[in-house]
Amino acid sequence: MSTVQKIPVLFLGATGYLGGSVLSRLLAHPSAKSLEITALVRSEEKAKKLEAFGLKTAIGTIQDLELLETLASQAHIVFSIINADDDPHMQAILRGLKKRHATGDVPILIHTSGTGVFVSHANGMYATEEVYDDNKPEQFEALPHEALHRSVDELVIAADKEGYAKTYIILPSTIYGIPSTPLTRAGIQHAHSIQIPFVTKASIGRGQGGKVGKGASRWNHISNDDTAELFTVVYEAVTKPGNTVPHGREGLFIGENGTYAWGEVSDEIAKVLFEKGVGKSPEATTFTSDELVQYFGSEFVGNLLAGSNCVGVANRSRALGWKPKHTKADLLASIKAEVEAALKQ
C-alpha cells in the first residue's frame, strides 16, 4: 500500500507571540494531516513540547545560517514569523529555497514584515494624513531602503521576481491581546506583544500612565487572533491549485481593523493603574526625555514605539476573504489584562 507524500513545511517563530497563534491554527486546519511541519527552536525543552503536537524540530537559532539554508531547501512552504530586520537569515532562507527550486519545485514563502515599514516620526504631537494601501505596491516601492523592515522585504520580493519562489508578505500593525492557544497552555508560546506592554511597563515604572508628546499620533490596530486568521486565509488561498493570488511586489497583505490614537491607549493604561492604586491620575501624562531613556532605552525608541504615525488599509487582505472581528473597543478592553499581567511580573 502506497503512502501519500506529505508537504514539507518549515515554521520559524513557533514559540513567538504571533507565530504560536499561527501555528496553533495550522495544526487545527483541515489540511494539517497532509503537512510535515518542522519548527526551528532554541531549546530541547521547547522541542520536546512541540514534538508532542506532532511536529518535527531542529535545534538552533536564525543565526545558524547553514542550518537555516538546509531546512529551507527541504521545504515547499516556509512560514517566517521572526525578526523582520535581519538580512543574513533571510538570505540564508532564500539560498535554501533556490536549492529547492533546482529540484523542480516552486516553493512558497509567507514572510512577516510589519506596517512599521511606513512609520513616520511625530513624537506624539500630531496625526498623519498619509495612508498606505496594500493594493498599491508603488507606495511601498517609494519607501527608502533604510525604512524599518524594508531591506528584508526587498530581498523577499526580489526572490519572487527571479522566479525561484512565490513570496507573500504579511504586514501586521499594532498587535494586541493575550492569546489563549494550545501552545500557550503548554508553556510553549510567548503571551505578550511589544508596543502596548512596553508602554504599560514604563507607566508602572514611573507610577503613572504615560504618553509620548500629546498622544496624538495614530496607528492601526489588529488583534492577535485576527492576525493569525489573516495568515490562515493567505495560506489557504496561495496553496489552492490554480490560484491567482498576487505574489512578489503585489503580494502585500496589511493586517488592520481601524486606527487608534496613542493617547487613547495611554489614558486607558492610566485609568487601570489609578483604579489599582498604582497611578496618581486616571489621565496619562507626558513621558519626560529622561523617562523615555530610562524605560525605552532611548528617546528615539520611545517615540518610535508610541509616538510615531503608521496608518494603512488592508484592501488586498479583505479582498482575499479576510474578515477581522475585533475593534478598537476590544483593543481598549484588552489593556486591563495587560496591566494586570505586567503588575504580576
Side-chain angles (χ1 to χ4, degrees):
M1 187 172 77
S2 63
T3 56
V4 177
Q5 187 82 21
K6 289 193 172 187
I7 299 166
V9 176
L10 173 60
F11 200 100
L12 305 172
T15 65
Y17 170 72
L18 175 58
S21 293
V22 176
L23 179 57
S24 292
R25 283 178 175 264
L26 196 60
L27 291 171
H29 197 270
S31 69
K33 290 182 180 179
S34 68
L35 306 176
E36 182 181 74
I37 304 172
T38 299
L40 177 67
V41 288
R42 290 188 176 92
S43 70
E44 291 279 359
E45 178 193 5
K46 291 282 178 81
K48 287 177 182 175
K49 287 182 177 181
L50 281 169
E51 286 163 8
F53 283 87
L55 274 71
K56 295 175 69 177
T57 59
I59 306 295
T61 72
I62 61 169
Q63 279 74 48
D64 297 320
L65 300 181
E66 288 186 16
L67 173 62
L68 205 52
E69 181 177 333
T70 298
L71 292 171
S73 73
Q74 297 166 350
H76 174 63
I77 304 171
V78 175
F79 284 87
S80 173
I81 312 177
I82 45 176
N83 188 334
D85 296 289
D86 181 65
D87 288 11
H89 91 261
M90 181 51 67
Q91 290 163 339
I93 291 169
L94 296 175
R95 287 195 298 271
L97 294 182
K98 188 174 278 189
K99 289 180 179 177
R100 177 77 183 183
H101 183 257
T103 69
D105 189 19
V106 181
I108 291 168
L109 172 61
I110 300 174
H111 168 64
T112 313
S113 177
T115 59
V117 70
F118 47 77
V119 75
S120 62
H121 296 278
N123 295 351
M125 300 305 289
Y126 57 87
T128 186
E129 293 183 4
E130 190 164 26
V131 178
Y132 285 78
D133 185 335
D134 57 6
N135 255 338
K136 297 179 178 178
E138 64 276 9
Q139 284 185 305
F140 293 82
E141 289 170 339
L143 293 166
H145 173 76
E146 296 75 23
L148 200 64
H149 316 324
R150 184 61 186 162
S151 64
V152 177
D153 290 356
E154 287 173 339
L155 292 171
V156 171
I157 292 167
D160 187 281
K161 188 174 182 180
E162 285 186 47
Y164 62 84
K166 285 189 175 181
T167 68
Y168 308 88
I169 299 177
I170 296 179
L171 303 99
S173 48
T174 295
I175 312 179
Y176 68 89
I178 300 173
S180 177
T181 71
L183 298 184
T184 57
R185 292 188 284 275
I188 296 170
Q189 177 185 355
H190 187 61
H192 299 278
S193 187
I194 296 172
Q195 284 176 287
I196 291 172
F198 228 125
V199 178
T200 300
K201 289 172 185 174
S203 296
I204 291 169
R206 73 197 288 261
Q208 171 60 38
K211 61 185 176 182
V212 175
K214 295 179 180 178
S217 55
R218 299 192 75 81
W219 270 67
N220 294 113
H221 59 81
I222 186 68
S223 73
N224 179 285
D225 190 57
D226 282 335
T227 311
E229 175 64 12
L230 175 57
F231 276 82
T232 305
V233 169
V234 171
Y235 160 73
E236 290 174 344
V238 305
T239 55
K240 188 176 181 179
N243 78 81
T244 57
V245 179
H247 51 91
R249 74 179 288 270
E250 295 184 344
L252 306 170
F253 301 90
I254 286 176
E256 60 80 17
N257 198 28
T259 66
Y260 68 95
W262 267 107
E264 294 175 287
V265 166
S266 292
D267 280 343
E268 191 66 25
I269 292 170
K271 177 185 164 188
V272 176
L273 288 177
F274 182 73
E275 289 171 353
K276 293 186 176 295
V278 178
K280 303 177 188 70
S281 164
E283 294 183 2
T285 60
T286 300
F287 289 113
T288 66
S289 296
D290 288 345
E291 286 173 336
L292 290 175
V293 172
Q294 180 178 354
Y295 297 114
F296 294 89
S298 70
E299 289 185 70
F300 176 82
V301 172
N303 285 318
L304 176 67
L305 286 175
S308 57
N309 282 308
C310 190
V311 178
V313 287
N315 285 325
R316 195 185 299 275
S317 296
R318 287 183 171 85
L320 207 59
W322 178 61
K323 298 174 182 177
K325 300 181 181 69
H326 298 95
T327 65
K328 183 169 73 173
D330 296 304
L331 163 69
L332 297 177
S334 76
I335 288 171
K336 183 178 181 181
E338 287 288 358
V339 171
E340 290 173 345
L343 287 171
K344 285 180 184 177
Q345 291 173 6

